[in-house]
Amino acid sequence: MSFIEIDGVWQEYGDHVVLERLKLDVGEGEFCTLVGASGCGKSTFLRLLLGQEKPSRGMIRLAGTPLPAEPDPGRGVVFQRYSVFPHLKVLDNVVLGLELPQSRFWGRLFGGKRRAARREAAAMLERVGLGQDLGKYPHQLSGGMQQRLAIAQAFIMKPRVLLLDEPFGALDPGIRKDMHALILELWRETGLTVFMVTHDLSEGFSLGSRLIVFDKTRQDPQAPNAYGARVTYDIPLNADRRAARQRIAALPRHILGGCPDKPLLEGADA
């Protein structure tokens, strides 16, 4: 049985069709990397999964039931721009995720519950490498450290689904490699289902268990918004990565970034 079912989904804004005829079945625990040309609806797809938007047509089901129509703690999200609270210290940024669901009126916990929440948040921050920075403010952290904080915020909620919208795009190459290792470790430990948008095919290949390509297959010069993007390639990456590498290398030039001769998968796992 599919954990997440995308059944005939379209997303339209007036006469502008962004996505059309999406059909996917995703098992629990898969790591799906989403690639495609800029503007082909990858981030729109993430917003549909998060519940920020409702499909114009079709249905999204989570564990056999319609996806809730608004975000909830079961779906975590990390953006490219660091989604942290600048006025709160590192520890309080993560504790807040535990306080709000348990204390909707006051927005904070007291006594033993607060101490337990702070211990849990501190353990999560230690796990992502920020154990020595609990008392700092976000502006005192580097970009990579702020992204670690955003990841801790997401994981402290124990989501079933994690949505990543180009989370490492603004980081230096060395820091990105460290973040790749961290997100893979956390994914393997928790077994949650991940959808990650990236413009880096090598990143998508090395992180994902499944590479999903979005592309517009129909074009009308007289009505450029008449057709939306579809899933044109769905490549499993676990069973035979060498065969998957060959399929990725054969993707159209505009998806490869116009660099078919560049070793895009250099450094990726064989």
Side-chain angles (χ1 to χ4, degrees), residues 23-78:
K23 190 169 183 60
L24 284 170
D25 292 309
V26 178
E28 189 166 14
E30 289 197 76
F31 194 131
C32 300
T33 49
L34 315 177
V35 301
S38 296
C40 69
K42 302 182 299 295
S43 294
T44 299
F45 180 63
L46 282 195
R47 291 195 296 272
L48 291 171
L49 291 175
L50 183 59
Q52 285 185 320
E53 298 184 15
K54 183 178 179 181
S56 304
R57 292 184 251 173
M59 177 72 70
I60 301 177
R61 298 182 184 88
L62 176 64
T65 61
L67 191 74
E70 59 184 26
D72 61 29
R75 288 165 287 169
V77 61
V78 178

Side-chain angles (χ1 to χ4, degrees), residues 6 10 28 102 110 112 129 153 210 265:
I6 314 298
W10 293 62
E28 189 166 14
Q102 299 183 58
F110 301 93
Q153 287 178 313
R210 182 174 175 182
L265 304 180

Side-chain angles (χ1 to χ4, degrees), residues 4-21:
I4 296 177
E5 182 183 359
I6 314 298
D7 187 7
V9 164
W10 293 62
Q11 190 65 348
E12 303 161 286
Y13 306 102
D15 60 357
H16 184 185
V17 182
V18 177
L19 297 169
E20 62 175 62
R21 305 181 188 181

Side-chain angles (χ1 to χ4, degrees), residues 51-123:
Q52 285 185 320
E53 298 184 15
K54 183 178 179 181
S56 304
R57 292 184 251 173
M59 177 72 70
I60 301 177
R61 298 182 184 88
L62 176 64
T65 61
L67 191 74
E70 59 184 26
D72 61 29
R75 288 165 287 169
V77 61
V78 178
F79 299 102
Q80 180 176 351
R81 300 185 67 179
Y82 319 122
S83 52
V84 298
F85 298 102
H87 64 291
L88 296 179
K89 293 181 179 179
V90 166
L91 180 60
D92 293 325
N93 257 279
V94 179
V95 169
L96 187 64
L98 297 172
E99 290 184 313
L100 291 177
Q102 299 183 58
S103 181
R104 296 185 180 277
F105 182 75
W106 295 105
R108 62 180 304 176
L109 299 173
F110 301 93
K113 288 185 176 181
R114 179 168 175 80
R115 289 192 294 273
R118 292 178 72 82
R119 285 195 298 270
E120 185 178 349

Side-chain angles (χ1 to χ4, degrees), residues 200-236:
D200 185 338
L201 265 176
S202 178
E203 181 176 71
F205 180 85
S206 60
L207 290 180
S209 62
R210 182 174 175 182
L211 185 80
I212 299 174
V213 180
F214 286 73
D215 195 15
K216 291 182 71 170
T217 59
R218 300 190 293 172
Q219 304 281 348
D220 184 347
Q222 305 303 318
N225 296 326
Y227 301 110
R230 304 173 61 183
V231 172
T232 54
Y233 296 87
D234 186 352
I235 305 173

